[in-house]
Amino acid sequence: MKSLRCLLVMPRALPGCGHSRASAESAGTQKADADFDKLALDYIGGYLAARPLQGVALGLHQYDGKIGDYSRLAIDAEVERLKRFQDQFNAIEAGKLGEANGHRPPDPARGDRRGALPNPGHGDFRENPMTYARAIDINLYIKRDFKPLEDRVRDIVTIEDQTANIMTAGKTNLADVLPKPYVELAIQVANGSADFLERTSPQQSRM
Amino acid sequence: MAAFRDANKKAAAALRDYAAWLTKEKLPKATSEFALGATKYQQMLANTELVDLPPDKILAIGLQHLKEEQGGLRQCREDHRSEEAADRRFQGNPERAPQAG
């Protein structure tokens, strides 16, 4: 967990990541930092739970074999979660954080260009059909040799078994009228992904 | 291996079905009128790029850069033409050509 904190919250370093704190920092600052650290960890944990492929990409293998839930219910829940965290980050008083946390919390209203705080909303799920066409991404399991091949194949099978559910969610969630270039590209992406899957065999991954 | 082949086959079929659904249900009524508009665009720039400048100002800056780049390219073209003209003169008069070494 310590590595996760260092990895994801840097450069707003958290305590325990080897960064010294000025001894003069007040107890108030330390408490504000501790509260912020806890909030940040809760946020990141929930963020990756909703986006397990990103967790695997970061080398966090508790997310192996998992795929995001694209159902309307799950998306609504995630949007609510993001809004709740937005309020909580907004409530942090900027001046109370220590130097290690950059003196101020991230600005949730703006999101974060590194993707730490996405803007809450349904946009991609409602307006972008590519969201579903590219959802099944098994590349990581093929190109990274992080565990025995048979275990990675098992994860791939678990993920691929969700494909039909994700496409059904797309059909349910997408708006009636969509941007034409998005639709055209999504058709290409979906057919391209199908081509890829039809040609893929476990022997293609690194042994 | 059989489970993998089966899952792959079903996943590919689901993706093909999705592509066919998009082609049949969404493509005919898809629109090219999907511009964000100035307000949303400015909001997007602020949210994703941390850029606070209004779109008009960004366009002006871009056009200014474009003008400068085009000026640079024109200068390159003129320099190149001058060099070509000089080469042609040297070819006509070997005594004026720069001496090697």
Side-chain angles (χ1 to χ4, degrees):
Chain A
M1 200 58 184
K2 189 173 170 181
S3 63
L4 171 64
R5 298 167 78 187
C6 293
L7 183 66
L8 296 176
V9 187
M10 289 294 284
R12 276 188 241 287
L14 294 172
C17 295
H19 290 262
S20 64
R21 285 173 183 269
S23 58
E25 280 183 350
S26 69
T29 297
Q30 287 180 17
K31 182 178 181 320
D33 279 341
D35 290 346
F36 174 74
D37 294 347
K38 183 178 181 315
L39 186 63
L41 284 175
D42 287 348
Y43 171 76
I44 293 164
Y47 182 91
L48 292 177
R51 299 160 185 79
L53 275 175
Q54 288 190 31
V56 179
L58 289 167
L60 303 168
H61 294 292
Q62 63 267 43
Y63 300 104
D64 287 1
K66 293 179 180 163
I67 185 88
D69 185 345
Y70 288 72
S71 69
R72 187 59 192 253
L73 202 65
I75 294 165
D76 286 346
E78 176 62 1
V79 169
E80 283 309 308
R81 191 188 75 86
L82 292 173
K83 285 179 179 169
R84 201 167 57 247
F85 272 95
Q86 191 167 44
D87 292 341
Q88 288 177 281
F89 278 116
N90 278 339
I92 294 172
E93 289 182 53
K96 285 196 175 173
L97 290 175
E99 192 174 353
N101 280 324
H103 290 298
R104 62 178 180 80
D107 183 351
R110 293 186 146 190
D112 182 311
R113 61 189 316 167
R114 292 182 300 275
L117 284 172
N119 226 16
H122 294 81
D124 271 359
F125 298 100
R126 197 177 51 215
E127 291 158 17
N128 190 349
M130 284 180 276
T131 301
Y132 306 95
R134 63 191 173 203
I136 300 297
D137 185 355
I138 56 167
N139 285 326
L140 280 173
Y141 294 91
I142 295 172
K143 67 186 177 187
R144 286 198 195 164
D145 184 13
F146 53 84
K147 61 182 176 182
L149 180 61
E150 53 268 31
D151 292 342
R152 284 181 282 142
V153 169
R154 202 170 298 124
D155 291 336
I156 290 172
V157 168
T158 307
I159 289 169
E160 286 187 345
D161 281 345
Q162 292 303 310
T163 311
N165 289 339
I166 292 171
M167 299 309 128
T168 302
K171 293 175 186 176
T172 307
N173 297 341
L174 286 167
D176 190 38
V177 177
L178 300 169
K180 194 173 180 185
Y182 286 15
V183 177
E184 289 170 339
L185 267 176
I187 292 167
Q188 288 182 36
V189 171
N191 280 324
S193 297
D195 289 343
F196 173 76
L197 292 179
E198 285 164 353
R199 288 197 306 260
T200 302
S201 69
Q203 283 74 21
Q204 287 172 303
S205 62
R206 289 180 198 162
M207 302 297 283
Chain B
M1 198 54 190
F4 173 78
R5 283 203 194 92
D6 186 50
N8 243 12
K9 193 177 167 185
K10 284 180 182 166
L15 283 159
R16 297 255 185 242
D17 176 68
Y18 180 64
W21 176 81
L22 287 173
T23 305
K24 187 183 172 196
E25 302 291 335
K26 295 295 177 190
L27 193 55
K29 54 186 169 188
T31 179
S32 299
E33 303 291 326
F34 59 94
L36 286 175
T39 306
K40 280 188 178 174
Y41 182 67
Q42 191 164 357
Q43 204 178 353
M44 187 191 79
L45 287 175
N47 285 341
T48 62
E49 301 294 336
L50 308 183
V51 172
D52 290 330
L53 298 171
D56 287 349
K57 177 74 175 169
I58 294 168
L59 180 63
I61 293 170
L63 289 173
Q64 179 60 34
H65 280 302
L66 178 65
K67 195 175 168 185
E68 289 167 10
E69 294 296 329
Q70 286 173 331
L73 285 170
R74 265 195 298 274
Q75 188 59 52
C76 280
R77 188 182 62 191
E78 283 163 20
D79 291 349
H80 182 66
R81 282 179 178 168
S82 300
E83 284 175 18
E84 280 186 336
D87 286 345
R88 278 196 296 275
R89 281 199 298 278
F90 292 143
Q91 282 167 4
N93 184 358
E95 287 180 10
R96 292 181 61 191
Q99 298 299 308

